[in-house]
Every structure is written in C-alpha cells, then in structure tokens.
Amino acid sequence: MLRPEQMSKVSVTGSRAVMAPVIETIHELNLVHLSDYDGSWEGFDNGNPIEGADQASEKLVTVRALENTLELSADEAEPGRLETGWEDRLEEIRTRVNELDDQRGEVTDELRQVNEKIDRVAPFAELGIDLDLLSGYESVDVAVVEGPVGAIEDAVAASDDIRAFETFTGGDVVAIVAAPTADADDAPIDDALVGVDVTRHSVPETEQSPEAYVADLEDERADLESRREEIDAELEEIKREEAGFLLRVEEELTVEVQQAEAPLQFATTDRAFIAEGWIPTDEYDRLVAALDDAVGDSVEIEELERADYDRHGAHSHTEDVQEGAPSAADEDDAAADADDQQQKAVTDGGSTVTMGDEPPTVQNNPGVAKPFELLVQAVNRPKYSELDPTIFLFLTFPAFFGFMIGDVGYGIMYVAIGAYMATQFDSKGISSLGGVAIWAGLFTILFGIIYGEIFGLHILGEVIWHDLFHSELLPLNKGLEPAASDFALGWMVVSVLAGIVHLNIGYILDFYENLSHGFKDALFHSGSWILMINGIWIWIFSAQGKGSKPGFLFKTFASDGPFPIGFTGFPMWELFAFPEAIPLLGGFPLTAPLLVFLIGFVMLVVSEPVEAVESLDVVVNVFSYTRMGAVLLAKAGMAFVVNLLFFGAYEDPDGEFHFLRNHEPSYVAEHYGEGADVIFNGLMHSGTAALLGGLVILVLGHIVVLVLGVTSAGLQAVRLEYVEFFNKFYEGGGENYEPFGTDRNHTEDP
C-alpha cells in the first residue's frame, strides 16, 4: 500500500522469424512497459518497423482526419467486428466526405463574399443614391467615404486641386463629387482627405439601386445557406451511419501501427532480437504462458530482476528470480548469441540487466484512496524507490478541510457536487477530483456535527447535543461570539498540535526510508529532526518560562478553558542549572525537553552540517498550520455575517448570542427587558422588499462561502500537504507505467 507495486525486469530473446507473433502477443496482454534500447551494445542496432507500418500510419492519419471533419467522439459507437474489405469502404467514405467538405468550403467562401458585398453596400443605402450615378465619370472625381462630415467638407474645400465640389450625406456617409483643377492628380479627393480619419467605400459595379442590389444578395445568401445545410445534413448522415466503422478502423490501425513500430525499441541483429521491459511481478507467469502458447519454445523468457531500490535510486537488493523458459538455441544460434550478449551487463545489485532504465511506477492504493493519487501526481508521481504518500493524503487532507469548514450544510453540498463529478464525467481527472470532494464533504459534515452548525446556524447543536444528548462539552464553538472568544485562540493551539503530529509522521516516514542506508544513518539524519521538533514543542508547552509565554497555550486545555481536559502545561523536568561562572547561561536551568532538542541539534550538525541552519524549521513549519485555525474563523465569520444580515441577532443578559430566527426584534425587549441588546434587526424583519432582498443575499452569500471554501480551505490544506509534509520525506519524479498495448473499446478481440 505504501510502496508502488513491485515490478520485474523481463527479457524476451528469439529469432527474427518469431518477432511478429511475439509482438502481437505482448500487445494483446497489455502488460509490458517496454524499455528503449539505446544502441550501446556492440553488434546490435535498433530494429526497423515491420513492413506495412508506413501504409498503416497513412491510413490512420486519414481516419483521424475524417473523424475530425465529422466531429466524431469516442462514445458514439458500440463495439463490433471489423469486416473484411474495410479498406474499400474506408476509401469510399474518404472520397465522399472530402467531396462534401470541399463543397462546404466553397459554399462557405461564397457566403463570406456575399456577406462582404452586403456590408459594403450598406453605406450606399444610407445615401439613397442609385449606384450607377456614383461611377463612370471622366471629368469629375467621385468618392464615397464615412467619417466626420464637417471635417470632410472642410478638407475638400481647402484643397488646391479641387475647383468645385458637391456633397451628399446620409448619417456619417458622404458622397463627394469634385471637379479637379487642370493640374490636379488623378485622385484629388483622396489627396484632400489624407489628414482626415475616414473609411473609403468602393462603389459596387451594378446599375441597380442599393435596395434592389441588397435584396438580390440576400436571396443569394439564402440559397447558399440552404446548400450548406444540405451538405451538413449529408455529413451528419455519414457520421450516423459510419461512426462505429471509423472508430473501429482507427482502433485497429492504432494497434497495427503500435505493433509495427515496436522493433524500434528492440535490440536486433540480422537474425535475432532482444526485447526488455518491466512488468508487475505477479503477472510474470501469465506473460510466460501467453508466449508459450503463441510461439512455444522459440523464445527465451527470463525474469532478470525483481527491483527493490532505496530512495536514492540505488539497488538496495535484488531478489532471486527464476531462470525463465528454455531457449530455441537449436533452431537459431543467433538468438543464443544475443542472449550471451545480454549477459554482459550486470548491475551492482548482481542481476542481469541490459537496458539500464528504472522501473516505472504503479501506485498501489485501496479503492477509497485512489482519487487522492491525482493530488499526489499534481506534485509528481512517486519514484518506484520511495513511499507513496497517497494514503497519508487520504487520511489527512479531508480532515484538514473538514476542520476548516465544519458545517453540515456545506458538507452536503460538497458531497453532492463531488458525486456529480465522479459519476457524470468520463475524464479520469475530473472523476478523481469528484472523489476527493466527496471525502472532503464527508469530513465537513463530521466536523459540522461536532460544531453543531448547518449553514452557519447552531440548529444542530441545539437539537443533537443539547436536546438529545444533553451534552455540556459538545457542540464546540468556533469562537466568533463574544462569550466564546477563548475558542478562537484555542483553535490556533489545536492547529499547532495538528501540525506537530503531521510533521512527526513525515519525519518518521523519512526515518523509515533512510533505514535502507543503515540504522545509524536513519538515526542521525531523520531521528535528529524527530528529537528537535518534539523537544522544542514540549518545552514550549512546559512550565519553564511560563510567565513569558502566551497564556492561551496553557488555558486552552485547562479545566476552565474551551477544551476542559485539565492540561495546564508540562512539568519543568529540570535536570540541572548551569554554573554561575558560565557566561549568558549562568544559573539557567537545563530541562529535559531542551536537552532532547540539543541532542537532536548536535546529531544534525554531525550528519548534515549544512542543514543545521534550518533547525528552526521545527518551529516555523509548525506555525504554518495556524492557517487552519485562521481559515476556520474566516469562513465561519463570512457565514456569520450572511446570517446576521438576513436573520438579525441579539445578545442576552448572559452575553450569549442568538439569531432572530424564530422571533421578532420586539421579542427581545418583551422577554428580557433592558438586559438584552438587539445587534441588528435583520432584513427578514424589515418588510417585504427587505425580505426579498435578504433572501437573495442569503442564497448568494452562502454560495460565495461554499466556493471560497474550496479556494481557501482546499488550497491551504493542499499547501500544508505539499510544502510542509511532503518535503520531509518525498521527492517524486517517477516514470508512469505505460504498458505496450491498447484497451479495445470499439473492436472485439479477433
């Protein structure tokens, strides 16, 4: 569970004559993560693709292009068999679809041109002048422009190249007819308008009126749109009839291309090949049995090693493995020669390994924790050689999230949203996030019950803990009310304690990882941090220097504190006092917690002198967890404000806070007299208009709190896991296990 699934390195050696059936068999198993041969062995080269690979690749490109044109999705067909002669059918579909696609492109271009013509003639419609009157003159210059009319007329009037002109306007559109001077250039109007911000409109070549011209263009546009709809209908019909066929062809060609290109990863000679890869150890017998059924004893199969690496990637040990199936040396001496070549590379673990790649990672977690693998992979996939932190993320992330939000109403919403994401989306990532949301929601409900809150109201506390169980300890208050302010600081102390426990787990995991280098290395490298964090924090909660430490550290768990378990601090546990003659420390009492911290510090200096400067991290990192208490108060405060605005609230003579859910503001004076204060009347009690506005505020406000719960509580919980916890023992950087093969979704196995 804490380690990735154990992987074995396997080798398959045989003659080139059986390479194709071996590839097909391994592909169908979909188990072997093939290693890439790097060309370093003398006498061996990377293999060449099997004959027909290029043609299969071209067909695959064709099929995917057709799917793109038809906008096919993978869920639009049921599995089925691919009939013989499918190549001819594919060619017919390709020809028809390409013809229709070309026709659609031509129609679309024509439509674009018609729309451009309609857009161009619109300014002329504003002028109300027949189009044939705006062109065809030799003695005058005519232009139609759009811009500021006054500036246009002033610019034309000021031109030395124009002796007379007339303008016709319609809105911002101006038709200018100008008589140029004898020595004017060919386009005097354009020259005159150089400094004016105008748009020049070309006059359409037609004798029709603008209205008639637009009407003809709109008729043409309607015909083109109708034609395009007909083409789209034909393409949709092809999609409906051929979707399953195309998806089956794509899958078949994908398999064919993968198999044809597999030799590129092999080491080959003219007569033999060697293929290596990683496989889950418990699947080795299935691989041997399948190859034996396919090619008999024509190949030699060997389990080279069962990998076990330390956290730094070195072989910590390699288990004894079986020698594998007999080879076909008598049939092909070259295969035996290849195997001899294979034996030359021996790792420092003592096992025959010829292609020096690291084993891929298969995360091995129980089903309930599987969704949290996504959060781990967001940082980096675990190396094969290190612990997989998924299970710890599963145990702590939802608890942190639930602690910070702690509301039954919000928790139910998170569970509902998570269930929708987990069941309604095909994406593995979104489904995993849905699973995470479900667990986060469940813990939010759990803590909501402990706090007695539903959408920020203490209804559950009154019903469950007071009325049903008559509890004096529960529900726990979040500390927003004046009479319960001690809880606010108390939650900060609880957050610190959660951080101490969480970081201790990280250091213990680091200790366990380092045991592969020996107990001494683990003790000095990891044990030093365990001693320091516990020593310093026991000292912080101890009686030594109690007067100079924050009082809430000792009041939080006192008999009269918010969490009354009777704890007022650890004893001083004084060992001795430094002699007065020692500068700075003279008379200072050395206590057991400080001694534990100092021992850890010295061990760290001895083992990792550079890390000694980071020794205060055992304090700083724990303080980072106070952000949980801060988010708890912030989210509770937001829900409190939303409810206060809607319901209103009052404070009774005992200083207890109550929302005006069941009473009018007048109830307070009638029931308590002058001993109670109404804090706010509430929109609920301020008339119909205020009530309606208050309902909007109530709903939108809680939606905002719900959303910000993800962006604050969710991100803060993730940050504590990634930055504070993972850094103690986790590096990541593992390779994903990608077995050679394809899961068939559209074609039935032949």
Side-chain angles (χ1 to χ4, degrees):
M1 183 184 301
L2 299 182
R3 289 286 186 188
E5 187 172 344
Q6 186 175 44
M7 306 295 289
S8 290
K9 187 71 173 288
V10 297
S11 170
V12 179
T13 305
S15 67
R16 295 288 291 267
V18 297
M19 186 166 64
V22 167
I23 291 173
E24 184 177 352
T25 301
I26 293 176
H27 189 277
E28 290 176 358
L29 287 174
N30 200 14
L31 287 175
V32 182
H33 180 97
L34 289 176
S35 302
D36 288 318
Y37 171 55
D38 61 5
S40 61
W41 303 346
E42 184 178 353
F44 285 82
D45 297 314
N46 291 92
N48 296 317
I50 295 174
E51 184 178 356
D54 291 341
Q55 294 86 338
S57 296
E58 291 175 3
K59 292 176 183 176
L60 183 58
V61 170
T62 297
V63 172
R64 288 175 175 167
L66 291 173
E67 291 176 347
N68 183 63
T69 300
L70 296 173
E71 298 180 353
L72 276 181
S73 61
D75 58 353
E76 295 194 45
E78 296 293 330
R81 287 193 176 276
L82 195 60
E83 66 275 10
T84 57
W86 59 265
E87 292 91 345
D88 294 337
R89 182 177 175 185
L90 176 63
E91 179 60 23
E92 292 175 2
I93 296 172
R94 185 195 68 79
T95 301
R96 183 58 182 149
V97 169
N98 286 349
E99 288 177 354
L100 290 172
D101 192 46
D102 290 343
Q103 292 174 19
R104 193 181 192 282
E106 293 172 0
V107 171
T108 300
D109 286 341
E110 291 180 26
L111 262 174
R112 177 182 54 78
Q113 294 172 12
V114 168
N115 286 324
E116 289 176 354
K117 290 179 180 178
I118 292 174
D119 292 338
R120 285 201 303 268
V121 82
F124 299 95
E126 291 188 33
L127 289 173
I129 301 175
D130 287 349
L131 298 176
D132 61 338
L133 299 177
L134 297 173
S135 61
Y137 300 102
E138 295 182 0
S139 59
V140 295
D141 186 21
V142 179
V144 178
V145 298
E146 188 171 357
V149 177
I152 293 171
E153 291 179 341
D154 291 343
V156 174
S159 174
D160 294 334
D161 292 334
I162 298 176
R163 56 186 175 81
F165 72 93
E166 186 71 39
T167 59
F168 305 90
T169 61
D172 288 339
V173 181
V174 183
I176 307 168
V177 181
T181 61
D183 57 348
D185 294 333
D186 292 339
I189 296 178
D190 290 341
D191 293 341
L193 298 178
V194 167
V196 183
D197 184 15
V198 297
T199 301
R200 177 70 182 264
H201 296 292
S202 300
V203 180
E205 296 181 359
T206 178
E207 296 181 355
Q208 293 177 292
S209 67
E211 294 78 6
Y213 184 58
V214 169
D216 288 346
L217 289 174
E218 288 179 343
D219 290 341
E220 184 179 356
R221 180 169 62 182
D223 291 339
L224 290 170
E225 288 176 343
S226 177
R227 175 60 183 143
R228 189 166 64 176
E229 290 174 359
E230 292 175 1
I231 295 172
D232 287 341
E234 289 188 60
L235 289 171
E236 187 64 30
E237 180 66 20
I238 294 174
K239 175 182 177 180
R240 185 166 49 254
E241 294 179 354
E242 306 295 351
F245 170 75
L246 289 173
L247 290 171
R248 287 192 289 273
V249 169
E250 183 197 12
E251 193 166 83
E252 187 66 29
L253 288 171
T254 299
V255 170
E256 187 176 339
V257 170
Q258 287 177 344
Q259 293 181 4
E261 294 180 349
L264 294 171
Q265 297 176 266
F266 296 175
T268 64
T269 66
D270 291 339
R271 302 175 61 192
F273 75 93
I274 300 173
E276 291 185 5
W278 295 94
I279 188 172
T281 298
D282 56 5
E283 297 283 3
Y284 175 73
D285 290 338
R286 186 151 74 98
L287 173 67
V288 173
L291 288 174
D292 184 62
D293 290 342
V295 295
D297 59 357
S298 296
V299 295
E300 178 176 331
I301 311 163
E302 184 178 3
E303 184 179 9
L304 302 176
E305 67 165 327
R306 291 179 185 172
D308 196 357
Y309 294 77
D310 66 24
R311 67 181 303 178
H312 303 292
H315 290 71
S316 59
H317 74 274
T318 302
E319 299 181 15
D320 294 333
V321 296
Q322 56 192 342
E323 291 302 319
S327 67
D330 294 338
E331 293 187 16
D332 195 341
D333 293 335
D337 293 339
D339 189 58
D340 290 339
Q341 178 71 26
Q342 187 185 36
Q343 307 304 317
K344 292 181 181 179
V346 179
T347 69
D348 57 354
S351 172
T352 303
V353 180
T354 52
M355 298 181 189
D357 57 333
E358 298 297 325
T361 299
V362 180
Q363 291 177 268
N364 185 23
N365 292 289
V368 293
K370 277 288 182 185
F372 291 83
E373 290 180 358
L374 179 70
L375 295 184
V376 173
Q377 293 165 13
V379 176
N380 221 327
R381 190 178 300 275
K383 295 179 182 177
Y384 179 83
S385 56
E386 64 183 345
L387 294 174
D388 181 355
T390 299
I391 192 67
F392 299 102
L393 204 62
F394 163 67
L395 294 173
T396 56
F397 174 84
F400 289 167
F401 187 94
F403 170 78
M404 286 185 272
I405 302 298
D407 187 289
V408 172
Y410 296 140
I412 292 173
M413 296 298 293
Y414 288 132
V415 170
I417 293 170
Y420 179 79
M421 294 170 64
T423 58
Q424 300 301 314
F425 290 88
D426 295 330
S427 169
K428 183 179 179 181
I430 295 179
S431 296
S432 295
L433 284 177
V436 172
I438 290 173
W439 280 106
L442 290 174
F443 273 83
T444 301
I445 293 173
L446 174 62
F447 277 95
I449 294 173
I450 294 173
Y451 300 142
E453 282 196 6
I454 178 167
F455 292 115
L457 300 173
H458 290 276
I459 300 173
L460 287 179
E462 297 170 4
V463 174
I464 296 178
W465 301 117
H466 292 168
D467 298 342
L468 187 61
F469 292 102
H470 307 289
S471 171
E472 296 183 0
L473 295 178
L474 295 174
L476 299 177
N477 200 299
K478 289 184 177 179
L480 297 177
E481 302 157 13
S485 58
D486 286 347
F487 275 94
L489 292 174
W491 290 123
M492 295 298 178
V493 178
V494 171
S495 300
V496 165
L497 295 178
I500 294 171
V501 173
H502 199 220
L503 294 180
N504 263 293
I505 294 172
Y507 287 129
I508 291 171
L509 292 175
D510 186 63
F511 181 90
Y512 174 77
E513 289 273 61
N514 280 304
L515 281 175
S516 60
H517 288 269
F519 179 78
K520 180 180 178 181
D521 183 82
L523 180 64
F524 275 79
H525 182 79
S526 306
S528 59
W529 290 99
I530 296 174
L531 293 175
M532 285 193 296
I533 190 173
N534 290 290
I536 195 63
W537 280 100
I538 290 175
W539 177 81
I540 290 173
F541 281 95
S542 73
Q544 186 176 17
K546 186 174 182 179
S548 60
K549 297 174 183 177
F552 63 84
L553 292 178
F554 308 99
K555 185 179 179 181
T556 297
F557 299 102
S559 299
D560 58 345
F563 308 106
I565 61 174
F567 175 79
T568 57
F570 292 109
M572 192 166 170
W573 287 317
E574 182 176 350
L575 300 176
F576 64 87
F578 288 96
E580 294 291 341
I582 298 179
L584 300 178
L585 295 177
F588 181 79
L590 179 65
T591 61
L594 285 179
L595 179 62
V596 170
F597 173 80
L598 290 173
I599 292 173
F601 180 76
V602 171
M603 291 169 59
L604 182 64
V605 171
V606 171
S607 62
E608 299 286 347
V610 177
E611 292 188 9
V613 297
E614 301 177 359
S615 58
L616 290 180
D617 283 355
V618 295
V619 176
V620 175
N621 290 350
V622 170
F623 276 134
S624 292
Y625 286 78
T626 57
R627 66 187 68 235
M628 291 201 302
V631 172
L632 180 151
L633 295 174
K635 295 303 109 187
M638 293 178 66
F640 177 89
V641 170
V642 172
N643 290 330
L644 177 63
L645 289 173
F646 181 73
F647 294 106
Y650 69 94
E651 188 176 357
D652 66 22
D654 297 327
E656 294 188 7
F657 182 91
H658 305 275
F659 285 113
L660 287 165
R661 294 184 292 106
N662 302 319
H663 305 289
E664 294 287 335
S666 59
Y667 164 85
V668 178
E670 295 172 1
H671 188 74
Y672 294 105
E674 296 182 357
D677 293 322
V678 175
I679 299 173
F680 182 65
N681 287 335
L683 298 174
M684 173 182 176
H685 309 291
S686 302
T688 303
L691 173 62
L692 295 176
L695 287 172
V696 174
I697 292 174
L698 184 69
V699 173
L700 292 181
H702 283 299
I703 290 175
V704 170
V705 177
L706 185 77
V707 173
L708 291 181
V710 177
T711 60
S712 57
L715 292 180
Q716 293 299 341
V718 165
R719 183 201 175 279
L720 292 174
E721 299 285 1
Y722 290 171
V723 178
E724 312 300 346
F725 184 60
F726 280 17
N727 279 349
K728 304 298 176 285
F729 67 96
Y730 183 71
E731 294 180 3
E735 182 180 1
N736 186 30
Y737 169 64
E738 296 179 352
F740 175 63
T742 298
D743 292 326
R744 290 181 179 268
N745 299 313
H746 303 291
T747 56
E748 298 174 355
D749 292 330

